[in-house]
Amino acid sequence: MLDLFVIPSADRRLIPEGRLSGPMPWVIAIMIFLTVLAAAAGLALAQAAGDVSDELASRATVQIVEANPDSKNRQTQDVAARLRGLDLVQEVRVLPQQEVEELIEPWIGSQELSNDIPIPALIDLKLTRPAAGPELQSLRSAISPLSTTARVEPSSSYIAPVITLIRSLQWTAFGLVALLAIATAAAVIISARSALNTHRETIDVIHLLGGTDRQITRLFQRRIALDALLGGLLGLIAGTGIIWLISSQLSAIGSGLVQSLGLSWYSWLIIAAVPILGMFIAMMTARSTVMRALKKIL
């Protein structure tokens, strides 16, 4: 593999373009830059969706809807006490009335509501395992004798549309990575054909001197692989700088969902491998293109 980047002096004379002097490295740099950003976005969204889903999978909310405040408070305390005695429940927190009103304030305003609209009591539960159907049913069965209006809902159901949106954006980003890989291969094909046309006379001379198609292909393959690697490193550096800038701005927002849009160490390894993958795509595409073109020449 390393001998692909050792360009003999004779080869330099056959392909006189210097490093980063032609358009190919810069085109690859732009493609890798966009690929790094798209891959980082997809990986960050995937991690955020996974973290939020895991966090909410073991949480549930109990709503007690009762118009009479005294009856609602009594039922809330009885239900909370019953839940604390269950092995399934790790933590029980009764939300204060003021906190409940703050939660619904963005939708119905900040005016005094308790006298006009019966605001439900909310109990936040942290469970010892993910809340699937059997777990939720066991909770309902435990509290139904204490409150006929109590409803148990998994916390993940409240944010399910957001998770669906994040998943859609995640796959859109990964789809963009695939499209950029195809565009990179197309750019390499154009570059390889252009180089073949430029050095057509040199290729004919090499053939007359006994050179094989394999030797000629290796010559162009090495040149394009080096251009792709240099361009890929430039794109990686620029893309990493943009990712770091956006990450620092997101961390300053302070929102829980936004702060979860981070990159793990293995995500950074994937991003760091993008230039290598780009070089491999360019090298294999150039090899295939040159071999087919040389067969047509003969």
Side-chain angles (χ1 to χ4, degrees):
M1 178 66 71
L2 292 178
D3 61 346
L4 289 175
F5 307 106
V6 180
I7 308 298
S9 58
D11 291 352
R12 295 194 186 98
R13 289 194 295 269
L14 291 175
I15 305 179
E17 292 87 352
R19 296 178 181 178
L20 299 179
S21 63
M24 182 62 185
W26 301 105
V27 172
I28 296 295
I30 294 173
M31 294 296 184
I32 295 299
F33 170 75
L34 296 176
T35 302
V36 165
L37 294 182
L43 292 170
L45 289 170
Q47 181 171 327
D51 291 345
V52 173
S53 298
D54 292 342
E55 175 66 22
L56 297 180
S58 59
R59 286 190 172 273
T61 301
V62 178
Q63 299 182 24
I64 299 177
V65 183
E66 178 61 50
N68 187 295
D70 294 334
S71 177
K72 180 178 66 176
N73 292 334
R74 183 178 64 256
Q75 293 179 25
T76 301
Q77 297 303 321
D78 292 343
V79 169
R82 179 71 181 91
L83 291 171
R84 289 189 179 97
L86 299 178
D87 295 335
L88 176 62
V89 179
Q90 179 178 345
E91 181 180 334
V92 176
R93 177 174 176 264
V94 179
L95 274 67
Q97 187 71 11
Q98 181 180 357
E99 186 173 341
V100 176
E101 293 178 359
E102 291 176 354
L103 290 174
I104 63 177
E105 180 179 332
W107 287 271
I108 58 180
S110 58
Q111 65 271 19
E112 188 67 31
L113 300 171
S114 57
N115 296 329
D116 301 325
I117 302 176
I119 300 177
L122 298 180
I123 303 175
D124 181 45
L125 304 179
K126 184 176 181 180
L127 308 179
T128 57
R129 57 180 181 271
E135 284 77 16
L136 296 176
Q137 186 58 43
S138 66
L139 293 176
R140 296 187 183 103
S141 301
I143 64 175
S144 58
L146 303 176
S147 175
T148 57
T149 61
R151 294 184 298 178
V152 180
E153 297 291 341
S155 297
S156 57
S157 63
Y158 299 110
I159 201 172
V162 178
I163 298 298
T164 301
L165 175 60
I166 292 176
R167 294 295 187 189
S168 299
L169 295 175
Q170 165 198 334
W171 289 112
T172 300
F174 289 150
L176 182 58
V177 171
L179 290 177
L180 288 169
I182 296 173
T184 301
V188 171
I189 292 174
I190 295 173
S191 177
R193 289 178 176 176
S194 176
L196 282 172
N197 291 331
T198 301
H199 301 287
R200 179 66 178 271
E201 295 181 357
T202 302
I203 293 172
D204 291 338
V205 172
I206 294 175
H207 277 146
L208 291 175
L209 295 176
T212 64
D213 288 350
R214 183 179 180 85
Q215 291 172 329
I216 298 173
T217 300
R218 186 177 179 83
L219 174 67
F220 285 96
Q221 181 180 329
R222 288 186 298 187
R223 179 71 264 177
I224 291 178
L226 181 59
D227 287 346
L229 181 60
L230 293 175
L233 291 177
L234 289 177
L236 176 63
I237 293 172
T240 302
I242 296 297
I243 294 172
W244 177 83
L245 179 62
I246 294 176
S247 298
S248 61
Q249 293 175 345
L250 289 176
S251 62
I253 294 178
S255 172
L257 181 58
V258 172
Q259 284 186 334
S260 63
L261 291 171
L263 292 172
S264 60
W265 63 270
Y266 56 84
S267 296
W268 282 111
L269 286 180
I270 295 175
I271 292 173
V274 168
I276 304 299
L277 295 175
M279 183 200 69
F280 182 79
I281 291 174
M283 189 170 59
M284 293 297 100
T285 303
R287 178 182 178 85
S288 175
T289 302
V290 173
M291 287 294 291
R292 287 198 303 266
L294 290 175
K295 289 180 179 179
K296 293 179 180 180
I297 290 176
L298 295 176

